[in-house]
Amino acid sequence: MELSQQSRKRKAVTHDVPDDSERKISEDEFEIGLYNGILSQDEEEISSSVNEEEDESSSDDDDEVGDDSDDEEELGSDEIPSEEDEEDVRHQIVDLKVGRHRASVSGNGVVSESKDSTTAKDGALHTHGNTAELSEENFRPNYSVAEDANGNPRYVYKDIDPVYDSDDSEAPATTNTIGNIPISFYDSYPHIGYNINGKKIMRPAKGEALDALLDSIEVPKGWTGLTDPATGKALEISQEELVMLKKLQMNEVPEDGFDPYPATIEYFSSQTEIMPLSAAPEPKRRFVPSKHEAKRVMKLVRAIREGRILPYKPPSELEAEDPSIKRYDIWANEAPRPDHPMNIAAPKLPPPGYDESYHPPPEYLPDKDEKKAWEEADDEDRDKEYLPTNHDALRKVPGYDRFVKEKFERCLDLYLAPRIRRSKLNVDPESLLPKLPNPDELRPFPTTCATLFRGHSGRVRSLAISPSGIWLASGGDDGTVRIWELLTGRQLWSVRLNAEEAVNVLRWRPGHEACILSAAAGESIYMIVPPIVDPELESSSRALLDAGWGYATSNPSKTTSSNGTAKRDPPAQWTRPSASHSDLGVCIQTTVRSTIKALTWHRRGEYISTVSPSGQSSAIAIHTLSKHLSQHPFKHLKGLPQTTSFHPSQPLFFLATQRSIRIYDLSTQSHLKTLSPGARYISSLDIHPLGTNLLVGSYDRRLLWHDLDLSPLPYKTLRYHSKAIRAVRYHQGGLPLFADASDDGSLQVFHGRVVVDLMENATIVPLKVLRGHRVTGELGVLDLDWHPREAWLVSAGADGCCRLWT
């Protein structure tokens, strides 16, 4: 038993004897204490305290051996302690030693604790428990000892906690302090930067491909898939930040209470403020007289007293004139007098020019030929009474030989020449212009191109909008008729009428009870029912066209003579189209004697008027749809016909030739009157929906407005285009708008307000110039049409496309 105790004592002594490193720790503790300001003594006291500490540490070593033996005797068991227990004992001894050295430091830096006090302290620690642990934490050192590369001890201090809340900056805490250095510079190093204490920030370990796959499948909350370049770790975003990013992406307000349009603070304004910008009191130097100014004033006073500076004296008056000498002034009565018809002031002489100078510029001096011509000319034939002469100096100028003669003639002009008062009219040029309203107040009117219709392979010669306003029909040089959806520009249907002839004109039948499109290609008129309407409307339209076949069969006298033979030259031939055309919706083909250039419907949809300029006596034809009959109302025409039109409410027929417009009454079959627009070559005409005004376009770039109640001459003549005007059109839906199309590639939109009152004339205001069509082959915009209800305009151009302007 004794042997086991001795062996245990040896073992305790062998493991618990402190080595030199522990002594170094105790010595370094005092050094650190001095560095941190715990000890306040001079160098001698520091050296003496260090020596005393070394003596006490040597004595403490002996005491520790005895204490260890006592501790091992207190085990009271034959069980041999394990290595873990030995390590715990060793750490307890080291902690007690550190606590003893801490306690031995007094307020003045003198070590004043002995072995007995250390033992008492040890007993107090075991007695009070938690209280001792708290005091031990307060005195625990804030550093640890490690070895550097040379084997010397190196002290590693803990991070300093400032323990305060700072409101100086709202910037986030910087974890990586490398600044603006790119993170790619650290690709070859195991660290990616340094923190605020100068320690390396190690690169985070990257998982394998399986971990990356799992992370991509199981997405954690706040996962973004991005990497923070400052730390190299995954970038996580909070829910509030995600909500803010989503709002910013959706162009919404990022947070409640945020005002994207704050009121402008005018720091500098034109208003004069009553209060000054600074209320500081005036400095004292502004009230104390300046010594420098006093010196300058005394210097001036001294100069005045010495006579070096003389005071101002008014100029002396002129000597009195001799009363014996009489002088006569013919201008003595030039004082201003009140305006009176009998008082006419004398005209003033014009001021002299450069050529009257004694030293005129060289360009005003005459050469030898001019001087000789002036001398040889008579006095009445000379343009000037003098000859410009150059003198080097004013003293070399001789006397003027014509001085007395000129003054005498001047006096004769003043009292002999009769003078009259001419009143000068001060007229403002702007007052002569008519007062037109602002175009912004006249909206709506088309301003921009909304839809583009492409599909024709050549020029688009004609177009028309359906009475419903849904479809647009167009025809061109390729011989096809195409129907488009007006709003979207999508082509719905097309048919080729003639492979050789172009579609010159096409028009929709007015009214909503049937949907019939008439197109003229060459010498034929095609009546088409497009298969894009509903079945009921299509059947009613076909029934309206087929009714004429029955009438022609039941009344053969209209097409045959009295003896039963056919008439020799019918005005037109009404036939059914070919099978290919019939399948596509073409119902009737009417052939006349010459090429058709113009086509117009009557307002009831019963009659059609066609114009063939090369047809001579058969140039004008009127066709009856319900009877399939045609007739030539004019046997002899004065002039080459261009276009025709029906009056919107009265039985009147308008026929336009090259230079005049003739109006006929269809009920009485008589000629009413002739309009003289004054144009050289009329191209188109249109009648206002009220029927009181007429719009005429000509190839000589004139747009003419006729008021049928005023005069046969035009009311207004407008010249806004640089090339020929091809088409004109009124808005038929009640809006006061009209437009024209020209070969310069532009359309001019006007405001034309017409009232029923005969005492007020029409108001015409230019609104907008629409440009978009390309001039091709000296041709620009060939046709136009208005929407039946909206302020929309469609145009057909020689560039092969149609445009919708809204």
Side-chain angles (χ1 to χ4, degrees), residues 509-555:
R509 179 187 179 275
H512 298 277
E513 66 276 3
C515 181
I516 301 174
L517 177 64
S518 60
E523 300 177 355
S524 300
I525 306 172
Y526 297 90
M527 299 296 172
I528 307 170
V529 178
I532 58 174
V533 298
D534 55 279
E536 296 181 359
L537 185 60
E538 182 179 358
S539 61
S540 62
S541 302
R542 289 182 177 274
L544 182 62
L545 294 176
D546 293 340
W549 302 116
Y551 181 85
T553 304
S554 60
N555 297 275

Side-chain angles (χ1 to χ4, degrees), residues 30-101:
F30 280 97
E31 292 177 4
I32 299 303
L34 292 173
Y35 180 76
N36 293 333
I38 299 175
L39 303 179
S40 58
Q41 57 187 2
D42 53 6
E43 295 179 355
E44 295 180 358
E45 292 177 348
I46 293 171
S47 61
S48 62
S49 63
V50 169
N51 295 332
E52 292 176 0
E53 178 65 20
E54 291 178 353
D55 296 339
E56 289 181 2
S57 62
S58 61
S59 61
D60 290 340
D61 294 339
D62 299 334
D63 296 338
E64 288 175 1
V65 173
D67 293 339
D68 294 340
S69 61
D70 296 338
D71 294 336
E72 290 182 359
E73 290 177 357
E74 290 175 359
L75 292 174
S77 174
D78 297 337
E79 182 181 359
I80 299 175
S82 63
E83 293 180 1
E84 296 180 357
D85 297 336
E86 291 177 359
E87 289 293 330
D88 295 337
V89 172
R90 187 182 300 108
H91 286 300
Q92 292 178 6
I93 294 173
V94 173
D95 295 338
L96 290 176
K97 180 181 177 182
V98 173
R100 183 170 60 254
H101 286 294

Side-chain angles (χ1 to χ4, degrees), residues 166-289:
S166 175
D167 294 335
D168 297 339
S169 175
E170 296 180 357
T174 305
T175 57
N176 199 341
T177 60
I178 61 175
N180 295 330
I181 299 176
I183 199 67
S184 60
F185 285 8
Y186 291 89
D187 291 344
S188 60
Y189 296 95
H191 58 282
I192 60 174
Y194 301 89
N195 58 9
I196 191 66
N197 296 322
K199 294 183 179 181
K200 295 180 180 179
I201 300 177
M202 305 306 296
R203 188 184 306 277
K206 297 182 179 180
E208 299 296 335
L210 182 59
D211 296 339
L213 179 62
L214 293 177
D215 293 341
S216 63
I217 296 175
E218 299 177 359
V219 178
K221 186 177 182 181
W223 181 84
T224 61
L226 304 177
T227 304
D228 189 358
T231 59
K233 298 180 180 179
L235 180 62
E236 295 183 359
I237 298 179
S238 61
Q239 185 65 24
E240 292 78 7
E241 293 174 344
L242 287 174
V243 173
M244 182 177 294
L245 289 175
K246 184 176 180 181
K247 290 183 178 180
L248 292 176
Q249 187 178 7
M250 300 298 293
N251 294 329
E252 298 179 358
V253 179
E255 58 184 3
D256 297 339
F258 177 76
D259 186 10
Y261 306 104
T264 303
I265 301 176
E266 298 182 358
Y267 295 97
F268 303 97
S269 63
S270 59
Q271 299 179 358
T272 303
E273 301 293 342
I274 299 176
M275 298 299 295
L277 297 178
S278 175
E282 295 289 339
K284 187 178 181 181
R285 64 177 180 273
R286 298 188 183 178
F287 302 97
V288 178

